[in-house]
Amino acid sequence: MLSGMKVKVLCRNPDDYVRETTRDIQRVPRNYDPTIHPFEVSREYTRALNATKLERIFAKPFVASLDGHRDGINCLAKHAKTLSVVLSGACDGEVKIWNLSKRECMRTIQAHEGFVRGICSRFCGSSFFTVGDDKTVKQWNMEPPGRGLQEEPLNTILGKAVYTGIDHHQTEGTFATCGQTVDIWDEQRSSPIRSFSWGVDSFSCVRYNPVETELLASCASDRSIILYDMRESAPLKKIIMQLRSNTLCWNPMEAYNFTCSNEDYNLYTYDMRRLDVPVTVHMDHVSAVLDVDYSPTGKEFVSASFDKTIRIFPKNSGHSREVYHTKRMQHVICVKWSADNKYILSGSDEMNIRLWKANASEKLGLLTPREKAALNYNQKLRDKFQHHPQVRRIARHRHLPRDLFKQKRELREMKEARRRK
Amino acid sequence: MAAPGGEAQTTAHVGKRRKRPRRYWEQTSKKYNSGGKSSDGAKQKAKKRRGDRRKKRKGGLSGEVESEDPKLCEQTQETGKKDNSGEKSSDGPKQKAKRRRVDRRKKRKGNLTVKVVSEDTSKKDNDGEKSVDGTKDTADENATKRSDAKFISGKVDPFPGEAPIPEERLRKFQRGNKFVVPEEIRSKLKDTLAKSQEAADLAQTQAARYDLLLTEDAGFLEGDEGEDTCTISQDDIAEAVDITSGSKYFNLRLTQFGPYRLDYSRTGRHLLLAGRRGHVTCIEWQTKNLMCEMNVMETVKDIKWLHSEAMFAVAQKKWLYIYDSNGTELHCIKKFNDVLRMQFLPYHFLLATASATGFLQYLDVSVGKEVAAINTKLGRLDVMAQNPYNAVIHLGHPNGTVSLWSPNQKEPLVKMLCHRGGVRSLTVDRTGTYMVTSGLDRKLKVYDIRAFKPLNSYFLPAGASCLSLSQRGLLSASTGDIVQVYRDVWGSGPMTKPYMAHRVRGTVWGVGYCPFEDVLGVGHAEGFTSMIVPGAGEPNFDALDMNPYRSTKQRQEWEVKALLEKVQPELISLDPGLLGKVDKATFEQKHKERVETLGYDPLAVEKFKPRMRKRGRSAAGAVEKRKKKVAHEDQRDVIRKSVKERMEKEKEKKRKDSAKEQLGEKTALDRFKK
């Protein structure tokens, strides 16, 4: 009877499933059959929920504070070539050069009497320019002077009126200042090669277009934004807004777009080719917006406001994705997005420059491959389930100081009321 | 795999492929054997010369192995061996194809595997050498020449592209239907959709390909010709299989405290036995290692492992108790009284209990809270099963109905009448497709619980008391002291004979299959029997889900991961994939929202208000009459309109037909008519 019977019974050799020595890694045989992995959607959802919560837990954006200035910081500039170098100008005419990786001040220059109004680095990174309340434009060497020598500017240009802003050309030795007029200067000359004005008494900001390098935009005190071509003698275009714009910034990737920070608590993104209507209005601040800077990818920008917060906006979204604030940070005057797209710098009234992460929950430093894989997986999960109400609620939640929260509610009520009428 | 008479396995490249870097042995062979015959041009000669010069500079002999990379050395030596054994033979196309397949597989796998395969093939070649005589002396030359010739010749790969995957296997890993992107969708969304579809396809094919790498095959039992498998006794099977498997058939004589109920842990390593008269044991059944044994000095109704083998729940006379694997009492849960049956939902960490008072209760064992207590109002609940696919609890009732429950609803999700008498036992398969029930009407019925339709109904002379389904769909049913195992219960053909049968010493009280093993545990009045059922268990486990061979560390890690992705009880519903589907708002929902935002109903039709008339024409009856005149006016309009349209269409059709008739047959000359 036994002869014809065929039988096979499951019998596993434990050697195939257990590691040989404790120095080995564990053996993990897989079987992707869906029937032995039930509830895959709900488990994935749970994972996504956990990932979102973890992201909020790890959201600690504040990295460091650079202190040393003896007055409020009025302007910031990035070094054109080096990631770790940042220049700052204060209200007492002092300019400091910072090393971000060491988080220390490398050099201090008493550059002006009164405010340092504007600061910018030359495209080659060898020198930088400052303008101040003392009606001068000064060019400084990026290298410190030799031991025992005094800090002396390379050049000093004495102007007729106060300058309020400066920006350097991307590739050539020309720069633009603004004050009573927008002036274009040659580095070699002591008088402007061109002066633009369009019936305005003063300008607050001038910026070169990063792609069409001969193009300029400026914010004027008569609530207008004016575009210029450096090669022509007259300005190009003008828009007049409801309230004054403080600064503007060109999108470095889509250089026909620029965003301006306005006194009416909003930021406006305009398409240079169609100035009659803004592309997007970015709302969320509860006080005047003082400065704006784009990320080098052109996907997001950061704005600094009088309401003591910094907000990060996606370039085409009407509301911010992130808000940074601390108890000690006062009105934020200037803000910059670092060239490696990882950090944000903010200079504020209470004499501190703060370094923030651009992505609040990012882990700094070297990641192991497993860590990296886990982060990527979590990111994908968050993307996949982002529209589920629970996930969205957690991802969007931000703690705000009570004043800010109340102001925000008040503003919303006002807006509602206006709409109802 | 070895093909007798196969051709020498050289590293010859079949089909189009990037040119391989020249190896030292080719050069040397040319140098020594071929002389001026070689077909390579001046360029290669120059290269050779350069190589020679380099060798000289290094001070090595020109014929020696120069490679510094030890791995390369190994490989080259092997190939050399192969070349020696190689010869030309007239092998059939079949073998050639096989060789090519091996080649291609080599290409796909990494370096390491290449080595292994080439060793294999070299062995194979040696076999081939015996059968076919060849000219050994020119083997080297031949090999190099052939490789070049094949490379140059325009032969094409007969199996281009990737190896095909059987449709059936692909379907196994299909999730949902393929999404067809509508034409009118914007370009950016279209891209996103296309990308996600691509990713899904890739995941599917990769998973399907991985099936090849599964190591174990399922068990089976086949009788002699004309012999029924059900007549084969357990002793015979135990004798026929290897010792380890044979030892899985054993009896435990426990006559004092029976009858016994049992539960295997989810890894299949541990077994719980509970005698009705209070005997509780916990065994590592394969090593026969006793973890704990005690008598709780109370009636024990049911016993269940919790998420791991560290804890188990015992339903005792009055209350529910939780013990750890050493037998220490951890909790006595007085909220859960008179429990008769229990089920543990492993992904939700829920212990569902059914009580004699008609209550179905859920205990979250991760936080120790009662999640839901449902009064079923259906009397004593002593028949219970869980659907492993969607975590819905099935209860069988004395009136022949089966009700389906989730913790989120006080009413049953579904109530179905299954039997004419009371339901004695029920079980659900792991894909959540089939439910098998047995009742006092001595019938065994199979239901499709996605469609809630009966599939098969069998009449068992004595009826079945305990049912259990294995991972691979074998059904065990016990009648009195006989346990029968059936195969293909939901197959199309009628099931006539059991696959296996076994008589135990006492009346069967509980049966359960051991996960990942071909073992069925039977608890009965006289103890416990573990019987071998070939083909019951899933052969390939997924170690990230459940690993029978896990270490303590792995278990701890798994426990943390499992707790982190504990599914909330709110997500239990009939369709577990509901969360991944688009929640399309119904028209009513949309309309309601619109009304809320607008403040009025834009679609509302003004109600007809009859005008006030004098002289008795506004009496109640007259008003009603007037109302009736305009009632359903809008509907009438729609009907009128559609009728009109239809008439016009018919007219048009008639006109066309008549025109055709007038024209008569079409000819080629019609085109010249005006």
Side-chain angles (χ1 to χ4, degrees), chain B residues 52-111:
Chain B
D52 284 351
R53 235 179 287 144
R54 207 180 306 144
K55 274 179 214 164
K56 265 178 209 160
R57 234 178 287 141
K58 271 193 178 175
L61 290 168
S62 58
E64 265 178 12
V65 178
E66 239 192 51
S67 164
E68 280 158 25
D69 187 0
K71 206 199 225 166
L72 192 71
C73 275
E74 253 175 54
Q75 242 178 5
T76 50
Q77 275 158 9
E78 264 165 37
T79 349
K81 211 194 308 170
K82 266 181 275 163
D83 287 351
N84 280 332
S85 66
E87 66 256 282
K88 223 170 197 174
S89 65
S90 54
D91 49 356
K94 213 175 177 182
Q95 280 146 10
K96 263 188 193 167
K98 206 172 216 171
R99 191 151 39 77
R100 272 171 210 143
R101 241 174 287 145
V102 171
D103 251 2
R104 214 172 331 118
R105 214 173 302 148
K106 263 199 265 180
K107 235 189 273 176
R108 255 179 251 132
K109 286 178 185 170
N111 257 339

Side-chain angles (χ1 to χ4, degrees), chain B residues 1 8 20 25 45 159 224 240 272 364 387 436 454 487 538 562:
Chain B
M1 170 143 180
R20 177 183 52 130
W25 65 88
K45 269 183 196 162
F159 305 100
D224 209 356
L272 270 179
D364 189 331
N387 185 342
V436 185
R487 204 163 45 174
E538 169 68 45

